[in-house]
Amino acid sequence: MGAFKDKDTYNVAVVGATGAVGEELRKILEERQFPVDTLRLLASERSAGQRLDFHGRQVLVEVLDDDSFEDIDIALFSAGGSVSARYAPAAVDEGAVVIDNTSCFRMEDDVPLVVPEVNPEKIAEHVQRGIIANPNCSTIQMVVALKPLYDAAGISRIVVSTYQSVSGAGRQAMEELGRQTAALFNSRDVECEKFPHQIAFNCIPHIDTFLPGGHTKEELKMIQETRKILDDPDIRISATAVRVPVFCSHSESINVETRTKLTAGDVRALLREAPGVLLQDDPQANEYPLATQAAGEDATYVGRVREDDSVDNGIALWVVADNLRKGAALNAVQIAEILIRDYH
Ligand code: NAP
Ligand code: 3JM
């Protein structure tokens, strides 16, 4: 990683540049004026040859291969787990630090799993493998909201149900919701490709594959990743992940049991000060977080804060964030910002 040192600008590769997360990565690098020297956009042969805008310049999309990472300092991966498994080591061999958006390396002991508002200090551990993992979108917004409660009172148990938008399943899934909605309004048959059932006007309690025991992988990711990020293997977590016909932003209903009592007022005061959080909690004025309002924004919105009297020390919350931004691309770019500020 010697080539990285003492630089003012960095060569950045985006793997999966034409995808829903890749597009957001490009936008956020631009918006936040990340000090990019060369931007290399990588995808499959399907979209190689396209040109995509970056700071007003048209950048060619190239086919990902083993030579793609020559002179790259930071490689942002979001092209699925198998692409990361195959090519992240090639990027590391070339001296790049990989920030990986897939589930491929998240639970490996020598790979830090980072949400900058929660455990930025773990970025130091990138030296072990050259890889930093970005958590799952549903995990990120949950831990951003719960970290202040955890620090103030401890957390013994979490029960979470998600309402996840179709953009979390990629560009083609967004198109499928649009096509199905139009088909139904025109009395045509609905075709299902990306989802196992009709998603328009429906809720599907099935994200990623089913595991023995009945959980889905998405639910298991939330459970395992939350314990790793909060560095607390004892937290008991029950998760149900549901796909809903929303284009962008994931919503979550979260019930949390703290180890010592917090009132709803205590929680609101903590969340008002919490990094990355915007408290939106005025039910009398119909003010609470909404997917349509969070889309395109950076904050994790929290509202409907109330005491849950069904258990001791119970708090209920409604948490919403843009899954392509804080849930993926923004979190990755925030990690890259800390990496160049503190470690190189
Ligand atoms: P998407 O819209 O379907 O885009 C997939 C991207 O990967 C496209 O750019 C595609 O290129 C590229 N790609 C696919 N196979 C490839 C290959 N063999 N070689 C090179 N490029 C390839 O999906 P997305 O929503 O952007 O998500 C991409 C991945 O990011 C997901 O699979 C997931 O692992 C991860 N993700 C993470 C989070 C998170 O929570 N952190 C959230 C969403 C997604 P073409 O245009 O050439 O097909
Ligand atoms: C979000 O490997 C794949 O086909 C991608 C599956 C996927 C993941 C994942 O497991 O990396 C789709 C959408 C995620 C994620 O962030 O966990």
Side-chain angles (χ1 to χ4, degrees):
M1 274 166 257
F4 215 116
K5 247 191 157 38
D6 302 325
K7 286 194 166 189
D8 295 327
T9 56
Y10 299 86
N11 296 332
V12 177
V14 176
V15 180
T18 52
V21 176
E23 178 179 351
E24 220 59 38
L25 279 167
R26 203 165 23 94
K27 271 201 255 173
I28 291 172
L29 288 168
E30 194 175 280
E31 279 169 24
R32 295 172 74 95
Q33 299 278 342
F34 191 86
V36 176
D37 181 354
T38 299
L39 183 70
R40 192 165 299 157
L41 300 179
L42 300 161
S44 78
E45 55 288 337
R46 283 182 295 274
S47 51
Q50 278 183 31
R51 283 175 193 276
L52 300 173
D53 189 83
F54 186 66
H55 283 302
R57 287 183 294 120
Q58 297 296 300
V59 181
L60 184 70
V61 177
E62 299 171 58
V63 181
L64 172 66
D65 65 30
D66 281 320
D67 299 327
S68 298
F69 301 100
E70 201 186 329
D71 293 328
I72 292 297
D73 300 308
I74 299 174
L76 304 166
F77 274 73
S78 65
S82 57
V83 174
S84 291
R86 168 70 181 76
Y87 289 99
V92 172
D93 283 348
E94 288 287 345
V97 177
V98 168
I99 302 175
D100 184 36
N101 258 302
T102 79
S103 56
C104 183
F105 302 105
R106 286 180 193 148
M107 296 313 300
E108 297 195 10
D109 283 341
D110 52 0
V111 173
L113 182 63
V114 175
V115 177
E117 293 83 348
V118 180
N119 61 345
E121 70 286 352
K122 292 285 176 190
I123 292 173
E125 294 177 16
H126 76 276
V127 292
Q128 297 184 36
R129 278 277 289 281
I131 301 173
I132 302 167
N134 216 36
N136 178 265
C137 37
S138 297
T139 309
I140 292 177
Q141 66 184 69
M142 181 161 85
V143 296
V144 167
L146 293 187
K147 171 70 170 168
L149 283 66
Y150 186 87
D151 287 346
I155 290 178
S156 55
R157 181 165 183 253
I158 300 165
V159 179
V160 54
S161 299
T162 70
Y163 302 66
Q164 294 182 222
S165 69
V166 295
S167 61
R171 207 180 266 298
Q172 289 169 7
M174 298 172 79
E175 289 163 8
E176 184 155 314
L177 173 58
R179 266 199 312 278
Q180 289 185 355
T181 307
L184 288 161
F185 277 124
N186 288 287
S187 307
R188 283 190 271 113
D189 289 340
V190 158
E191 286 171 22
C192 302
E193 283 167 23
K194 296 300 283 184
F195 298 109
H197 301 280
Q198 174 186 321
I199 183 63
F201 308 101
N202 213 355
C203 298
I204 306 177
H206 173 182
I207 301 182
D208 210 331
T209 54
F210 278 100
L211 299 164
H215 281 96
T216 60
K217 261 197 202 167
E218 187 82 353
E219 291 158 354
L220 191 69
K221 287 175 203 170
M222 291 187 75
I223 294 167
Q224 294 181 329
E225 293 174 19
T226 298
R227 290 183 179 140
K228 177 167 173 174
I229 296 162
L230 293 176
D231 196 15
D232 188 344
D234 297 328
I235 305 179
R236 288 176 294 168
I237 307 176
S238 172
T240 303
V242 181
R243 189 74 69 190
V244 297
V246 166
F247 279 103
C248 195
S249 303
H250 292 353
S251 305
E252 296 178 350
S253 162
I254 303 178
N255 291 71
V256 49
E257 283 180 66
T258 51
R259 292 195 184 276
T260 57
K261 174 79 182 166
L262 291 175
T263 65
D266 294 335
V267 172
R268 284 190 206 99
L270 289 166
L271 291 171
R272 265 188 212 103
E273 301 301 317
V277 171
L278 262 178
L279 183 70
Q280 196 176 16
D281 197 19
D282 187 359
Q284 297 314 314
N286 297 344
E287 273 280 333
Y288 29 72
L290 293 171
T292 49
Q293 291 175 358
E297 303 293 333
D298 288 350
T300 295
Y301 294 85
V302 187
R304 299 295 320 279
V305 177
R306 61 214 188 273
E307 285 159 40
D308 170 8
D309 296 329
S310 68
V311 290
D312 291 338
N313 304 338
I315 289 287
L317 306 166
W318 179 248
V319 177
V320 182
D322 183 324
N323 53 293
L324 296 177
R325 291 179 71 89
K326 186 57 194 165
L330 172 62
N331 200 72
V333 174
Q334 287 175 307
I335 291 171
E337 287 171 349
I338 297 172
L339 190 65
I340 63 169
R341 189 192 66 200
D342 293 350
Y343 297 98
H344 287 279

